[in-house]
Amino acid sequence: MRMKTLSAALLAAGVTAVGTAGAFDLTPSWLKHDKPAATRVAAAEPTTVPAAPVQQTYAPNYRAIVKQAGPAVVGVSVAGMHAVTAEEQGALPPGIEDDPFFRFFRGMPGFPGAQRGQRGNNGVPFRGMGSGFIISSDGLILTNAHVVREAKDVTVKLSDRREYTAKVLGVDPTTDIAVLKIDAKDLPTVRLGDARNLEVGDPVLAIGAPYGLEQTATQGIVSAKGRSLPGDTVVPFIQTDAAVNPGNSGGPLFDANGSVVGINAQIYSRSGGFQGLSFAIPINVALKVKDQIVATGKATHARLGVTVQDLTQPLADSFGLKRPDGALVSNVSPSSAAAAAGLKPGDVITEVNGQPIVRSGELSSAIGMLSPGERVKLQVVRDKQPREIDAKLGAAEPDQQVAEAAGPSQGGQLGLALRPLTAEERRAAKVEQGMVIENVDGPAARAGIEVGDVLLAINGKPVQSVDQVKSVLAGKPKSVALLVQREGEKIFVPVKLG
C-alpha cells in the first residue's frame, strides 16, 4: 500500500446508476432488499419548508458479497532485488568508515549505512505482499503496479490456498495498474461495476490481505470522488473511509451490489497505518489500461503539454470569471500539443470535448485517459472572452505528467520594485521577457511574491516594462493575477488590491 504524509494530503484536498426502462435486473436475489416507504416527518408549524425525507433502505448484505466475491480475491507475494539509494543507505560523513566506532555498529538497524554491507552489486533482496482479484476464469488478474515493481518472482495465492506462479503481462506506473496471468482454468471471478454510478455516501466494501492477513473485509462509505493526488494527476481517485492498510494494495473495492468499482491503492497516514483516508483507482480507468496491456504489453497516455493550477476566487476575478471553475494554464511546454494549438499562459480551460472542468486535476484525468494522436476540443477563456481551441494530443513519456498541477504560492499600489532582465539573466531563466522583482512589500508581499522572482505577466498580459504594469493598475482592479517564475517554475499568484 502506497503511503503519503497527512500534510501532503491537506495540500491535495479539494484539488482533485443510469437505468434503462425494461432492462433486465442481473443482481442476485440474495443481494436485493425491499425498500420501505419513505418515513413521514411530523413537525408542528414549521417556520421553513421542510426538506423531503430521505428514503430509508436496509444496509448492504456484506456477508453475501464476501461469500460470492471472496473466492476471486487473491494474495500476491513478490520477491526480488531492490537497488538501494544513497538516501536509504544514509549519508555518511567523509572518513567515517575508518572509525572503529562505526565499524562496530555498522549493519545495525537504524544506524547510518546499515544496508551498505548487504547491498552488493545487485541491490538488497526484498519480499513483499499485496492483493489482487481475478477478472477472467482463465487466470487474468488485476493488481497495483507498485505491488510488483522490481519483482523477479510473483506468486498468486487463491482463497483455497492453491498457489500459482504468475506472469506479469504489463504495468502502467502512470495509473498504478498491473495485469497478471496465471495458468489455470475455471477460476472464480468478480463482477465488474461502473465507478461513475457511485455517489458520496454510498456504502463500499474492501477485501484484501492487510499485513498478510488474507481475506480480510472492511467496510465504509465513499467520502469523495475525483480526488487528484500529488504525483498521480491522471487518476480521479475514489476516496473512502473503509480501513485499508499495507497489503491491501491491488485488492478490490465493492459497491453495495457486490460489483467491483475500484482498486485500493493508497492511504494517507502519519503512522504508516490506516487513519481514515484511503483511495481507490476507479475500475473504469483500470479496465481501459488493462485492455491496452493485454493487446500490446503496455499502456500509453496522451499529453497536452501544459502546467495547470486550480483557480481561487481572486484569480477568477482577475480573469473575468464568475466562479473559480477551470484549469488555469501557468506554463506551456515548447514543441508540445498545447503550443501547436496556440494555448498560452493565462488561458483558463473550462471544457474538454464537452466535459466541464471544475478543478485542474479533472483536466489531467481527461487528457491522460485519451490516446496520443486524438483530437480534442477545448473551451478556453482568454482575455475574459470564451473561445474554442482544437488540439492534437501528443504522447506522454513514462516520466512526464500529461498536465502537471502547480500548487498556489502561500503566504506603488502593488508593492513591487522592478527592473528589466539583462540578456544573461534572460538566457539563464530561459525567458524572452520579464522583470526582476528587486523589492516587495504591501499586497504583493502578503500574496507571497519574493525578491528574485521574475514577473512575466499581469492579468495575462506579458510584462516588459513598468509602464505595462501601471497600465493594468490604472483600471483600479480589485485584484490582479501575476505570472511569476521562481527557480524555473511558473505559477499564477493572485494579489488582492482592494
Side-chain angles (χ1 to χ4, degrees):
M1 178 58 54
R2 292 202 292 182
M3 295 174 286
K4 297 188 178 181
T5 63
L6 189 60
S7 59
L10 296 176
L11 290 175
V15 181
T16 67
V18 179
T20 302
F24 292 102
D25 184 359
L26 301 181
T27 305
S29 58
W30 42 265
L31 283 178
K32 295 180 179 179
H33 296 292
D34 294 330
K35 297 181 180 179
T39 303
R40 296 181 179 177
V41 179
E45 299 182 357
T47 56
T48 59
V49 178
V54 176
Q55 187 174 16
Q56 296 180 346
T57 59
Y58 292 108
N61 193 337
Y62 291 129
R63 177 193 295 182
I65 294 173
V66 173
K67 183 177 181 180
Q68 185 240 9
V73 181
V74 302
V76 180
S77 301
V78 299
M81 300 293 291
H82 171 61
V84 182
T85 65
E87 181 180 358
E88 290 170 328
Q89 294 182 60
L92 301 179
I96 192 174
E97 292 186 348
D98 297 327
D99 190 309
F101 180 84
F102 171 80
R103 291 200 299 269
F104 181 80
F105 286 99
R106 177 179 184 167
M108 295 187 66
F111 194 76
Q115 300 181 10
R116 291 171 67 89
Q118 310 167 21
R119 179 177 180 179
N121 293 328
N122 297 320
V124 175
F126 77 90
R127 293 183 179 276
M129 185 170 186
S131 304
F133 53 98
I134 306 170
I135 60 173
S136 69
S137 60
D138 60 351
L140 209 60
I141 295 170
L142 290 183
T143 186
N144 285 145
H146 75 263
V147 169
V148 297
R149 183 175 55 235
E150 296 185 294
K152 183 178 180 182
D153 301 310
V154 180
T155 302
V156 168
K157 186 175 182 180
L158 305 187
S159 62
D160 60 8
R161 298 190 298 282
R162 285 183 294 167
E163 294 187 5
Y164 294 87
T165 298
K167 178 183 179 181
V168 180
L169 296 185
V171 299
D172 179 35
T174 301
T175 57
D176 196 21
I177 296 296
V179 182
L180 312 181
K181 182 71 169 64
I182 60 175
D183 186 11
K185 296 181 179 180
D186 301 323
L187 295 173
T189 62
V190 297
R191 186 174 60 211
L192 301 174
D194 189 343
R196 294 171 298 184
N197 293 339
L198 283 178
E199 296 293 344
V200 175
D202 284 352
V204 287
L205 175 76
I207 303 179
Y211 302 109
L213 301 172
E214 301 169 353
Q215 293 292 306
T216 296
T218 55
Q219 58 84 30
I221 64 167
V222 175
S223 305
K225 293 176 59 180
R227 284 292 193 218
S228 180
L229 304 182
D232 294 283
T233 56
V234 170
V235 178
F237 285 96
I238 304 165
Q239 179 182 321
T240 81
D241 68 349
V244 169
N245 283 290
N248 274 111
S249 282
L253 183 73
F254 296 91
D255 66 11
N257 290 321
S259 299
V260 175
V261 289
I263 302 179
N264 297 309
Q266 297 192 31
I267 60 175
Y268 274 130
S269 175
R270 284 181 171 176
S271 65
F274 177 71
Q275 289 187 299
L277 292 170
S278 59
F279 300 90
I281 303 163
I283 192 64
N284 310 66
V285 172
L287 293 178
K288 186 169 183 177
V289 171
K290 181 268 297 182
D291 290 341
Q292 292 189 60
I293 288 177
V294 171
T296 66
K298 62 180 182 179
T300 58
H301 299 277
R303 178 175 184 258
L304 184 57
V306 295
T307 301
V308 294
Q309 67 186 79
D310 278 336
L311 285 163
T312 61
Q313 190 60 57
L315 281 174
D317 294 340
S318 300
F319 289 99
L321 299 170
K322 295 181 179 180
R323 297 171 55 88
D325 292 347
L328 174 58
V329 177
S330 58
N331 188 43
V332 177
S333 301
S335 304
S336 65
L343 282 170
K344 299 179 180 180
D347 287 345
V348 179
I349 301 175
T350 58
E351 288 185 12
V352 176
N353 289 341
Q355 173 186 340
I357 301 298
V358 177
R359 297 185 180 273
S360 59
E362 295 174 3
L363 173 68
S364 301
S365 300
I367 298 296
M369 295 314 298
L370 297 174
S371 300
E374 283 192 54
R375 303 198 74 91
V376 293
K377 290 188 181 299
L378 307 175
Q379 293 295 328
V380 174
V381 176
R382 177 184 297 172
D383 296 331
K384 301 184 179 181
Q385 298 297 322
R387 64 173 63 195
E388 185 174 276
I389 292 179
D390 182 75
K392 183 179 180 181
L393 299 175
E397 298 297 328
D399 58 347
Q400 286 178 326
Q401 300 294 338
V402 294
E404 295 201 16
S409 297
Q410 299 179 11
Q413 179 187 5
L414 189 56
L416 295 179
L418 304 167
R419 69 164 174 82
L421 286 165
T422 65
E424 184 177 347
E425 287 172 334
R426 286 198 300 270
R427 287 193 296 269
K430 298 180 180 180
V431 297
E432 296 182 359
Q433 82 280 323
M435 304 283 288
V436 177
I437 297 173
E438 292 199 310
N439 191 28
V440 57
D441 58 18
R446 290 193 294 271
I449 302 297
E450 298 178 1
V451 173
D453 289 348
V454 177
L455 177 61
L456 301 176
I458 179 169
N459 283 0
K461 301 181 183 299
V463 169
Q464 294 178 318
S465 69
V466 174
D467 289 340
Q468 291 174 318
V469 177
K470 290 181 177 179
S471 67
V472 174
L473 299 179
K476 297 183 179 181
K478 293 182 178 180
S479 64
V480 293
L482 304 183
L483 178 60
V484 300
Q485 179 166 305
R486 179 183 302 166
E487 297 180 354
E489 298 294 331
K490 297 175 183 177
I491 188 172
F492 280 98
V493 179
V495 179
K496 290 185 177 180
L497 302 176

